[in-house]
Every structure is written in structure tokens, then in C-alpha cells.
């Protein structure tokens, strides 16, 4: 029986929420070259995938953080999924902006959050962990953890969450994605080394450059 991480990776690939192009990389907003592009907001357009993610996020939260008092979504990608999960669990919900509004009440957190609440933050994608941990910092009281749909498993993110003393759980991850993509024909065996090399240090990776040849 396949594990959850492989099952979800296949679903994300099939609806093109994740695209792999080792030989024709994308350019991220950061300027990084990348053989992968992820847009998990696409899952909202597919009821079966959307509900699968909602159920699995809710299940993971109940199993790992049973004392949770509220759910928070990270703007903008996880606002909708966070709301779905909070509804499934019957819990209060807020979402955290990337920065405070520049008008009105200038809110950073939208919604009412009881002081001292134990909060689980829902994230659609973890890359370096910056946006997730910024949201944690904004709402952290008695406790705050992060549950995400997908993680690139960057070493810098692993270190950042550990240093912030925040637990990170993900439904799927980059390692599972490579396995699922190979099994389902989205990539070829020769692409595997390229994809693994990129994850080690994405900030300096360039297409066609093998670390062994440098």
C-alpha cells in the first residue's frame, strides 16, 4: 500500500499543481533557476483532490496536535485550505497577511484569536520556511505548529524550523515527488540526479551544471 506522501504527490502531478522541467527550468521570483514549479492553489479547482487534502490535513492535526484551539492560514495560498480544515474540525479560524494592511485597522492577523490559543498554521508550500515562520511569529502565544501540503525539504528550512522550535508536518515532500514522478512517467531516470542536485543548493543551481564537473 502506498504511503500518503506518494499518493498526494501523484495527485499534484496529475493536475499540474506541480510541474517538473529539468531540461527547461523555471525562474522563480527570487531569481533562482528551478526544475520544479508548484502552485497548490490549483487543488481548489479539483473537488476530489481538494477534499483529500482537507481530510488528511485535519487527520494529521488531530493525531499530532490534539490540544489545538484554532487554525491559521498563511496568505495567500493557504487561506482557502485553512478555512476548509478549520470548518472540518469545527475550530476558530484566522489568516495571517504577509504584511499589515496599509489602511483601516492595519491588521496583520484577520479574524479573532483568543490570547493563549494553541494554533496550528496551515501552509500550502514550504520552501525556505520564511513565510511560515513569519506567520508563527505573528500569532505565537502558548504554542504554534505548522502543517503544510508540500515541502521542498530544503536544508535551510529544516534548520530554520528547528531553531524556531516549531514542529513541521507535511502531507508530501520533494523526495516522495521524485519517486512518484519516476513511477508515473513524468520524468525519466536520467532526470533524477538533476532534481536531487537542485534541492541541495537551489540558490546556485544552474541547468546542465553537475557539481561533480565543477
Amino acid at each position: 500500500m502506498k504511503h500518503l506522501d506518494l499518493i498526494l504527490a501523484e495527485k499534484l502531478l496529475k493536475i499540474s499543481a506541480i510541474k517538473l522541467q529539468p531540461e527547461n527550468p523555471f525562474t522563480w521570483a527570487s531569481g533562482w533557476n528551478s526544475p520544479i514549479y508548484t502552485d497548490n492553489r490549483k487543488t481548489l479547482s479539483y473537488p476530489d483532490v481538494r477534499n483529500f487534502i482537507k481530510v488528511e490535513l485535519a487527520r494529521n492535526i488531530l493525531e499530532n496536535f490534539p490540544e489545538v484551539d484554532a487554525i491559521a492560514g498563511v496568505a495567500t495560498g493557504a487561506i482557502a485550505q485553512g478555512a476548509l480544515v478549520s470548518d472540518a474540525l469545527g475550530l476558530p479560524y484566522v489568516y495571517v497577511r504577509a504584511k499589515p494592511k496599509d489602511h483601516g485597522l492595519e491588521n496583520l492577523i484577520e479574524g479573532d484569536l483568543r490570547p493563549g490559543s494553541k494554533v496550528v498554521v496551515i501552509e500550502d508550500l514550504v520552501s525556505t520556511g520564511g513565510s511560515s515562520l513569519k506567520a508563527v511569529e505573528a500569532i505565537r502565544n502558548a504554542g504554534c505548529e505548522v502543517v503544510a501540503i508540500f515541502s521542498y525539504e530544503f536544508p535551510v528550512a529544516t534548520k530554520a524550523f528547528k531553531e524556531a522550535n516549531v514542529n513541521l508536518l507535511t502531507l508530501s515532500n520533494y523526495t516522495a515527488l521524485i519517486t512518484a514522478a519516476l513511477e508515473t512517467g513524468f520524468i525519466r531516470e536520467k532526470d533524477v540526479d538533476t532534481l536531487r542536485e537542485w534541492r541541495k543548493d537551489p540558490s546556485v543551481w544552474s541547468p546542465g551544471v553537475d557539481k561533480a564537473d565543477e
Side-chain angles (χ1 to χ4, degrees):
M1 184 175 179
K2 288 186 177 179
H3 289 168
L4 170 62
D5 54 0
L6 289 172
I7 294 171
L8 181 54
E10 287 184 10
K11 291 180 181 292
L12 296 176
L13 285 165
K14 286 178 180 177
I15 64 171
S16 295
I18 293 181
K19 294 183 178 181
L20 294 170
Q21 295 181 184
E23 296 179 355
N24 184 28
F26 304 94
T27 301
W28 285 3
S30 61
W32 291 2
N33 291 307
S34 171
I36 180 173
Y37 184 78
T38 305
D39 182 6
N40 284 329
R41 284 168 289 200
K42 274 196 169 187
T43 62
L44 299 171
S45 299
Y46 298 84
D48 57 331
V49 180
R50 181 182 70 215
N51 289 327
F52 179 85
I53 290 172
K54 176 188 71 175
V55 168
E56 291 302 329
L57 286 172
R59 181 181 64 80
N60 271 270
I61 290 169
L62 289 176
E63 289 181 357
N64 293 280
F65 311 114
E67 297 181 354
V68 59
D69 297 314
I71 301 296
V74 179
T76 59
I79 290 178
Q81 199 67 59
L84 290 169
V85 171
S86 66
D87 188 59
L89 295 174
L91 291 172
Y93 177 66
V94 300
Y95 73 83
V96 185
R97 294 177 174 274
K99 59 182 180 180
K101 288 195 298 187
D102 58 4
H103 60 281
L105 297 177
E106 300 182 348
N107 291 339
L108 178 60
I109 300 173
E110 296 290 0
D112 292 326
L113 188 62
R114 190 175 74 248
S117 295
K118 294 184 181 300
V119 182
V120 170
V121 175
I122 301 293
E123 182 66 283
D124 64 324
L125 173 67
V126 173
S127 53
T128 62
S131 63
S132 306
L133 292 175
K134 186 176 180 181
V136 167
E137 185 63 28
I139 63 178
R140 198 166 201 176
N141 292 301
C144 195
E145 316 297 350
V146 177
V147 180
I149 296 174
F150 185 83
S151 171
Y152 288 125
E153 298 181 299
F154 290 155
V156 64
T158 301
K159 180 180 178 182
F161 277 95
K162 183 177 181 180
E163 291 177 347
N165 195 29
V166 175
N167 286 318
L168 171 65
L169 294 180
T170 63
L171 300 187
S172 192
N173 54 67
Y174 193 71
T175 300
L177 175 72
I178 293 176
T179 299
L182 188 60
E183 290 179 351
T184 52
F186 280 89
I187 59 172
R188 297 160 294 180
E189 185 71 46
K190 71 173 188 176
D191 297 322
V192 172
D193 287 343
T194 297
L195 291 167
R196 288 175 175 165
E197 195 64 41
W198 170 79
R199 190 191 66 80
K200 293 178 183 177
D201 196 350
S203 64
V204 299
W205 180 85
S206 294
V209 176
D210 191 322
K211 287 284 186 180
D213 297 332
E214 292 182 349

